[in-house]
Amino acid sequence: MNPVDAQNALADIRRRGEQSRDAYLRFGHSRTAVLLLTLSVFLAFASFDLPNPWGGAMILPEAVLLAVMLVAYLHRSPVRRSITTREAALGAAVGTALVAVFKGLAAAVRAGGVPAPHTAAAALLCAAGAVCLTLAGRRGRP
């Protein structure tokens, strides 16, 4: 193999990697994926307002929703790729920030006198998150 062939092969590998990342992001930012993710976050956060036996019972619909998301990913995703350490760390940081924002927002809404502060805070947070994910998905498209 001469150097030109090696450079062409590396360029092809890079191009295929970019294509797979683009397809992965398109699937992750699809309307269905964003809707299911938003619903999952809303159910988890809004369940804090439910009385004791019902708050714990929200685990069942949440588990069903997560299973639906997994099946959709396994059957409909055009590419499957492993998560990198950097992506996992970023996801953990974003999740921690999401919980912190939710707690602050719930405290502010509770101070405002809303009867179901966690549900209101979850709705605001999920609406903002869905808008951000939708805008991020459109920004990456030509």
Side-chain angles (χ1 to χ4, degrees):
M1 177 181 274
N2 64 29
V4 173
D5 290 338
Q7 287 177 342
N8 288 339
L10 285 174
D12 189 45
I13 290 170
R14 286 187 193 105
R15 186 174 51 82
R16 297 282 184 187
E18 289 174 11
Q19 287 175 341
S20 69
R21 277 189 295 277
D22 290 344
Y24 186 76
L25 286 175
R26 267 194 308 277
F27 177 77
H29 289 119
S30 69
R31 194 172 291 173
T32 304
V34 170
L35 178 67
L36 289 174
L37 181 63
T38 304
L39 184 60
S40 173
V41 170
F42 178 76
L43 284 176
F45 285 157
S47 68
F48 289 115
D49 284 333
L50 295 173
N52 229 354
W54 297 108
M58 289 306 292
I59 291 174
L60 181 63
E62 185 71 28
V64 168
L65 188 58
L66 291 174
V68 167
M69 291 169 62
L70 177 65
V71 168
Y73 172 74
L74 292 175
H75 290 287
R76 305 196 96 216
S77 178
V79 291
R80 290 188 202 128
R81 54 186 290 270
S82 299
I83 190 169
T84 64
T85 305
R86 181 178 176 204
E87 291 168 341
L90 181 63
V94 168
T96 303
L98 182 74
V99 170
V101 169
F102 170 71
K103 285 185 174 242
L105 197 55
V109 170
R110 183 181 299 119
V114 174
H118 294 100
T119 303
L124 289 172
L125 194 64
C126 288
V131 168
C132 289
L133 279 175
T134 302
L135 292 176
R138 288 196 179 141
R139 184 179 151 211
R141 293 182 187 149

